[in-house]
mmCIF file of all heavy atoms in Angstrom:
data_model
loop_
_atom_site.group_PDB
_atom_site.id
_atom_site.type_symbol
_atom_site.label_atom_id
_atom_site.label_comp_id
_atom_site.label_asym_id
_atom_site.label_seq_id
_atom_site.Cartn_x
_atom_site.Cartn_y
_atom_site.Cartn_z
ATOM 1 N N SER A 1544 -17.980 -4.988 -11.795
ATOM 2 C CA SER A 1544 -17.237 -3.762 -11.565
ATOM 3 C C SER A 1544 -16.475 -3.858 -10.210
ATOM 4 O O SER A 1544 -16.783 -3.178 -9.261
ATOM 5 C CB SER A 1544 -18.185 -2.546 -11.523
ATOM 6 O OG SER A 1544 -18.731 -2.374 -12.821
ATOM 7 N N ILE A 1545 -15.495 -4.753 -10.210
ATOM 8 C CA ILE A 1545 -14.686 -4.884 -8.992
ATOM 9 C C ILE A 1545 -13.240 -5.064 -9.358
ATOM 10 O O ILE A 1545 -12.889 -5.403 -10.500
ATOM 11 C CB ILE A 1545 -15.090 -6.138 -8.153
ATOM 12 C CG1 ILE A 1545 -14.965 -7.443 -9.019
ATOM 13 C CG2 ILE A 1545 -16.512 -5.986 -7.635
ATOM 14 C CD1 ILE A 1545 -15.186 -8.712 -8.180
ATOM 15 N N GLY A 1546 -12.347 -4.661 -8.452
ATOM 16 C CA GLY A 1546 -10.947 -4.867 -8.606
ATOM 17 C C GLY A 1546 -10.208 -3.620 -9.068
ATOM 18 O O GLY A 1546 -10.669 -2.825 -9.853
ATOM 19 N N LEU A 1547 -9.000 -3.438 -8.540
ATOM 20 C CA LEU A 1547 -8.130 -2.378 -8.942
ATOM 21 C C LEU A 1547 -6.771 -2.981 -9.312
ATOM 22 O O LEU A 1547 -6.299 -3.943 -8.688
ATOM 23 C CB LEU A 1547 -7.923 -1.387 -7.769
ATOM 24 C CG LEU A 1547 -9.131 -0.588 -7.328
ATOM 25 C CD1 LEU A 1547 -8.765 0.316 -6.145
ATOM 26 C CD2 LEU A 1547 -9.658 0.309 -8.483
ATOM 27 N N PRO A 1548 -6.080 -2.401 -10.319
ATOM 28 C CA PRO A 1548 -4.810 -2.973 -10.780
ATOM 29 C C PRO A 1548 -3.671 -2.588 -9.782
ATOM 30 O O PRO A 1548 -3.557 -1.469 -9.303
ATOM 31 C CB PRO A 1548 -4.570 -2.268 -12.148
ATOM 32 C CG PRO A 1548 -5.335 -0.981 -12.000
ATOM 33 C CD PRO A 1548 -6.564 -1.283 -11.128
ATOM 34 N N LEU A 1549 -2.861 -3.610 -9.450
ATOM 35 C CA LEU A 1549 -1.756 -3.363 -8.518
ATOM 36 C C LEU A 1549 -0.710 -2.408 -9.096
ATOM 37 O O LEU A 1549 0.001 -1.753 -8.334
ATOM 38 C CB LEU A 1549 -1.076 -4.716 -8.223
ATOM 39 C CG LEU A 1549 -1.755 -5.644 -7.251
ATOM 40 C CD1 LEU A 1549 -1.121 -7.041 -7.262
ATOM 41 C CD2 LEU A 1549 -1.686 -5.052 -5.838
ATOM 42 N N GLY A 1550 -0.655 -2.217 -10.423
ATOM 43 C CA GLY A 1550 0.375 -1.417 -10.986
ATOM 44 C C GLY A 1550 0.062 0.120 -11.026
ATOM 45 O O GLY A 1550 0.924 0.894 -11.333
ATOM 46 N N ASN A 1551 -1.132 0.497 -10.693
ATOM 47 C CA ASN A 1551 -1.484 1.948 -10.744
ATOM 48 C C ASN A 1551 -1.139 2.688 -9.479
ATOM 49 O O ASN A 1551 -1.458 2.243 -8.361
ATOM 50 C CB ASN A 1551 -3.012 2.117 -10.945
ATOM 51 C CG ASN A 1551 -3.426 1.943 -12.440
ATOM 52 O OD1 ASN A 1551 -2.604 1.543 -13.253
ATOM 53 N ND2 ASN A 1551 -4.662 2.191 -12.711
ATOM 54 N N LEU A 1552 -0.522 3.880 -9.610
ATOM 55 C CA LEU A 1552 -0.266 4.751 -8.489
ATOM 56 C C LEU A 1552 -1.556 5.098 -7.788
ATOM 57 O O LEU A 1552 -1.639 5.157 -6.580
ATOM 58 C CB LEU A 1552 0.529 5.933 -8.908
ATOM 59 C CG LEU A 1552 0.834 7.040 -7.832
ATOM 60 C CD1 LEU A 1552 1.702 6.450 -6.747
ATOM 61 C CD2 LEU A 1552 1.411 8.284 -8.436
ATOM 62 N N THR A 1553 -2.584 5.401 -8.593
ATOM 63 C CA THR A 1553 -3.846 5.785 -8.038
ATOM 64 C C THR A 1553 -4.535 4.663 -7.155
ATOM 65 O O THR A 1553 -5.205 4.961 -6.204
ATOM 66 C CB THR A 1553 -4.878 6.181 -9.148
ATOM 67 O OG1 THR A 1553 -4.801 5.143 -10.158
ATOM 68 C CG2 THR A 1553 -4.486 7.509 -9.758
ATOM 69 N N SER A 1554 -4.219 3.402 -7.495
ATOM 70 C CA SER A 1554 -4.738 2.277 -6.749
ATOM 71 C C SER A 1554 -4.305 2.317 -5.290
ATOM 72 O O SER A 1554 -5.090 1.970 -4.377
ATOM 73 C CB SER A 1554 -4.366 0.988 -7.398
ATOM 74 O OG SER A 1554 -4.911 0.823 -8.697
ATOM 75 N N GLN A 1555 -3.068 2.757 -5.049
ATOM 76 C CA GLN A 1555 -2.551 2.806 -3.702
ATOM 77 C C GLN A 1555 -3.360 3.793 -2.889
ATOM 78 O O GLN A 1555 -3.641 3.560 -1.720
ATOM 79 C CB GLN A 1555 -1.085 3.256 -3.737
ATOM 80 C CG GLN A 1555 -0.139 2.286 -4.492
ATOM 81 C CD GLN A 1555 1.300 2.841 -4.596
ATOM 82 O OE1 GLN A 1555 1.620 3.846 -3.971
ATOM 83 N NE2 GLN A 1555 2.090 2.151 -5.378
#
Side-chain angles (χ1 to χ4, degrees):
S1544 297
I1545 59 171
L1547 294 177
L1549 282 168
N1551 280 8
L1552 176 64
T1553 47
S1554 296
Q1555 298 174 10

